[in-house]
Amino acid sequence: QQQVKQSPQSLIVQKGGISIINCAYENTAFDYFPWYQQFPGKGPALLIAIRPDVSEKKEGRFTISFNKSAKQFSLHIMDSQPGDSATYFCAASKGYGGATNKLIFGTGTLLAVQP
Amino acid sequence: GAVVSQHPSRVICKSGTSVKIECRSLDFQATTMFWYRQFPKQSLMLMATSNEGSKATYEQGVEKDKFLINHASLTLSTLTVTSAHPEDSSFYICSAQTSGNYEQYFGPGTRLTVT
């Protein structure tokens, strides 16, 4: 019940296209859903995050869509660029502060944007 | 804002020796810090959670006597890998969180190689 399932494992998109990565969770107590971007040899960087009280959040070219009833959320990268090529992780957690606020990570999606 | 640093970025040590990794929050006070390890092409695996001034909470299967965590101040946490072996070679990443907030800010990671 603590798992977060992420798909696809890898994704190839043409420059200018839309990249879509999906995640699903089981634990209805999760109330924070961030997406992280990681380049090789670097730590993850927070891209965008959503709480379950909204169904969509947009920041620049990045949008999270959240479906509470289906327990799914997705990341959309509009106008994908070669510089977006990285590994993307979804995550989920419940509450904040201390050991209870563990981030449960998805398995990651390796995105390659072809010029 | 919300910058987390790690030192060293890379370390090579001989089998049987100990190595210490530092994690610092540079521009905020971190009430909670998390330590992760990441193997190549895999997701982040939480090792332990530490609150300032308290003993760390270790995840199941993580040897607390091998991976010593100290969170002595609101800006510094250390991970000491004791009696390191080649199988401890990995990418170690810390993250920091302030009280009452969901966001975790990640450090750049430390590549440990045990020969």
Side-chain angles (χ1 to χ4, degrees):
Chain A
Q1 216 189 15
Q2 285 288 85
Q3 276 189 323
V4 176
K5 295 181 180 180
Q6 184 172 346
S7 64
Q9 188 174 9
S10 63
L11 181 61
I12 299 174
V13 172
Q14 296 297 315
K15 179 182 175 182
I18 303 174
S19 305
I20 302 174
I21 305 170
N22 301 298
C23 284
Y25 63 98
E26 290 293 325
N27 190 342
T28 55
F30 287 147
D31 63 354
Y32 174 67
F33 303 89
W35 284 90
Y36 289 89
Q37 178 190 58
Q38 186 179 32
F39 293 104
K42 305 294 183 184
L46 178 64
L47 259 183
I48 185 172
I50 198 168
R51 299 284 312 282
D53 51 345
V54 296
S55 60
E56 186 175 281
K57 183 174 181 180
K58 183 176 181 180
E59 290 184 0
R61 296 185 294 113
F62 302 95
T63 300
I64 299 180
S65 296
F66 185 81
N67 186 329
K68 189 174 181 178
S69 60
K71 292 184 284 187
Q72 295 175 348
F73 58 110
S74 60
L75 176 70
H76 296 232
I77 305 175
M78 312 300 287
D79 186 26
S80 298
Q81 298 297 313
D84 296 330
S85 298
T87 300
Y88 292 81
F89 292 97
C90 64
S93 71
K94 54 183 179 179
Y96 53 81
T100 58
N101 184 215
K102 297 188 292 187
L103 276 173
I104 308 299
F105 279 88
T107 50
T109 297
L110 180 60
L111 171 65
V113 181
Q114 293 186 336
Chain B
V3 178
V4 177
S5 70
Q6 280 185 244
H7 179 79
S9 57
R10 290 176 177 269
V11 57
I12 301 172
C13 70
K14 292 186 183 296
S15 186
T17 62
S18 296
V19 61
K20 181 185 285 188
I21 302 170
E22 290 186 350
C23 175
R24 293 182 185 272
S25 56
L26 298 185
D27 52 3
F28 65 100
Q29 293 186 326
T31 49
T32 306
M33 286 186 168
F34 303 83
W35 286 95
Y36 298 82
R37 66 188 298 182
Q38 185 179 35
F39 292 107
K41 299 188 187 302
Q42 292 191 21
S43 189
L44 285 78
M45 185 193 82
L46 180 65
M47 299 175 66
T49 303
S50 72
N51 290 303
E52 184 262 341
S54 302
K55 286 186 178 180
T57 301
Y58 290 82
E59 293 300 297
Q60 193 172 8
V62 177
E63 300 174 59
K64 59 181 66 176
D65 294 332
K66 181 170 186 61
F67 298 100
L68 302 179
I69 291 172
N70 183 278
H71 190 167
S73 77
L74 286 172
T75 59
L76 174 65
S77 177
T78 59
L79 167 68
T80 301
V81 183
T82 63
S83 187
H85 292 285
E87 57 265 31
D88 298 324
S89 298
S90 188
F91 194 49
Y92 291 87
I93 311 170
C94 71
S95 72
Q97 182 184 56
T98 58
S99 176
N101 287 292
Y102 286 87
E103 293 84 3
Q104 286 187 30
Y105 299 97
F106 284 80
T110 295
R111 174 74 59 193
L112 170 63
T113 303
V114 184
T115 62

